[in-house]
Amino acid sequence: MVIRAVLWDIDDTIFDYTHADRFGMRKHLEQEGLPDGYENVEQALVAWRELTDVHWARFAAGETDFQGQRRDRVREFLARALDDAEADDWFARHVTHYEAAWSLFPDVLPALDLLADGFRHAVLSNSSIHNQDRKLRRLGVRDRFEAVVCAVELGVSKPEAAAFRAACEALALDPGEVAYVGDEPDIDARGAVAAGLMGIWLDRRGRGGRPELVRISGLDQLPDLLTGNTRFGAPDTFG
């Protein structure tokens, strides 16, 4: 089938989540103080990211809700028995610094501009519509996407095939007419392929490997890939 639409991940694909999260938490700890048990800020930042991955996986598996994974992250990070309100307040203070660092990757707007005429665009995220719609508006790109489909409202998350297919249904397209671009090889690219889409792994960090996947190292390579100026569908095409 001809690819008619691009379905996008958001965090660490078009939005530089890793930078914003690290910057925001570093500023937050400057004001809050380093929690007990950490020798330095860098150690705390690594722990925060690891806890984010652990509790986000619990949320994706249906073991907790969106707000619950935030509260559990805070309690484990601080190693303190906070009530819900205390955990929410601590996280909200972090969010202030985190949002101050929001930015698109520099290759996003050029890629969207080049693909604007030939392809439709939508988003599939494992977050919530409240967070991601607001984020896209703050970043100035919400109007680039016909639909924003999120796991919290769907009740199913990537890499489950039902999540990808729901996003295709929002576009009224068959999965084979849609390409999915995301920064995670398994959750994004492999999950998309299993659901019948063309999965494209955006390997910004140059991790390499996974020769069975279509891989690009930057969004500057995406227009050529989709418009047929290279071997669309060939595994590990770039870098």
Side-chain angles (χ1 to χ4, degrees):
M1 286 187 181
V2 174
I3 299 298
R4 302 184 185 281
V6 183
L7 195 58
W8 297 81
D9 175 50
I10 296 181
D11 294 344
D12 281 331
T13 296
I14 65 174
F15 160 64
D16 194 349
Y17 169 79
T18 295
H19 167 74
D21 187 57
R22 283 181 58 85
F23 177 90
M25 183 53 67
R26 184 180 294 275
K27 290 294 185 181
H28 184 46
L29 294 178
E30 287 177 4
Q31 292 194 355
E32 301 281 321
L34 190 67
D36 293 341
Y38 300 104
E39 295 180 3
N40 51 57
V41 170
E42 186 60 34
Q43 184 186 54
L45 293 173
V46 170
W48 177 252
R49 184 58 192 252
E50 290 174 349
L51 288 171
T52 297
D53 292 342
V54 167
H55 290 289
W56 196 262
R58 291 178 56 240
F59 163 68
E63 297 173 10
T64 185
D65 60 18
F66 184 76
Q67 197 65 22
Q69 60 84 22
R70 283 184 163 187
R71 292 165 178 162
D72 291 342
R73 269 194 279 165
V74 173
R75 288 168 179 140
E76 191 166 349
F77 180 68
L78 299 179
R80 289 163 50 192
L82 304 177
D83 62 30
D84 288 352
E86 290 170 328
D88 290 346
D89 287 346
W90 191 94
F91 198 94
R93 294 194 298 275
H94 156 59
V95 165
T96 300
H97 302 292
Y98 161 64
E99 291 188 358
W102 281 4
S103 64
L104 297 170
F105 286 101
D107 57 2
V108 172
L109 291 179
L112 287 172
D113 287 343
L114 287 170
L115 295 170
D117 292 336
F119 299 89
R120 298 165 62 192
H121 298 271
V123 162
L124 173 62
S125 168
N126 270 1
S127 185
S128 71
I129 189 69
H130 171 75
N131 279 350
Q132 301 299 56
D133 185 85
R134 178 170 172 271
K135 184 183 294 176
L136 293 171
R137 292 182 189 281
R138 282 274 302 273
L139 294 169
V141 292
R142 176 61 184 87
D143 61 346
R144 302 287 191 126
F145 304 102
E146 293 182 34
V148 178
V149 179
C150 293
V152 170
E153 290 73 28
L154 278 179
V156 62
S157 59
K158 301 176 297 181
E160 295 297 322
F164 292 98
R165 290 172 183 160
C168 293
E169 289 172 7
L171 291 167
L173 292 174
D174 290 331
E177 297 178 290
V178 180
Y180 189 84
V181 182
D183 69 293
E184 290 293 341
D186 294 322
I187 293 173
D188 293 325
R190 192 184 301 279
V193 170
L197 293 76
M198 173 58 68
I200 301 171
W201 175 25
L202 177 58
D203 183 17
R204 290 191 182 279
R205 291 182 282 169
R207 288 178 281 179
R210 311 296 178 96
E212 74 281 7
L213 298 177
V214 176
R215 180 169 65 92
I216 59 177
S217 58
L219 292 178
D220 58 312
Q221 297 163 350
L222 185 61
D224 279 349
L225 185 65
L226 293 178
T227 55
N229 292 338
T230 187
R231 295 174 299 142
F232 183 66
D236 206 12
T237 305
F238 294 100

